[in-house]
Amino acid sequence: MFNLIEKAVLGMASLRIISGCIEIIAAYLMIRFNTIEKALMVNSSLAIVGPVILILTTTIGLFGIIEDISFVKILWIFLGVCFIFIGVKS
């Protein structure tokens, strides 16, 4: 009847909630500063938050399923994340 939330899922969801709160605060700051230059500075700082959250949530998820997944699949996931960063950087 009472299902416990897995620790990995709770950690991943918590990081996404924190990330969303940071995004909302950034939007508020952009409106508050009301200049394009400062809005761009705030937006640029968000470029750091997104990849960090992506890496952390992926890491937590992988540690949560480490017993159930083969080493080769972990390498494929890591390679996929690397491709995402390469694609965004280019």
Side-chain angles (χ1 to χ4, degrees):
M1 185 161 170
F2 180 71
N3 293 331
L4 293 175
I5 298 174
E6 287 199 37
K7 290 179 185 177
V9 173
L10 184 60
M12 293 170 74
S14 298
L15 282 172
R16 286 296 171 188
I17 290 170
I18 292 168
S19 176
C21 291
I22 291 170
E23 294 275 345
I24 291 169
I25 291 168
Y28 168 77
L29 290 173
M30 288 179 190
I31 293 169
R32 176 97 172 137
F33 292 144
N34 197 28
T35 64
I36 295 173
E37 294 82 9
K38 290 190 180 181
L40 282 172
M41 288 175 53
V42 170
N43 192 57
S44 298
S45 66
L46 288 177
I48 297 169
V49 174
V52 169
I53 297 296
L54 172 67
I55 291 169
L56 289 175
T57 54
T58 303
T59 303
I60 290 171
L62 285 175
F63 278 119
I65 61 169
I66 200 97
E67 309 93 29
D68 303 332
I69 194 167
S70 70
F71 182 70
V72 173
K73 287 186 180 182
I74 291 174
L75 287 177
W76 277 112
I77 294 169
F78 177 74
L79 185 63
V81 172
C82 289
F83 282 146
I84 290 170
F85 284 119
I86 290 169
V88 171
K89 184 180 176 186
S90 298

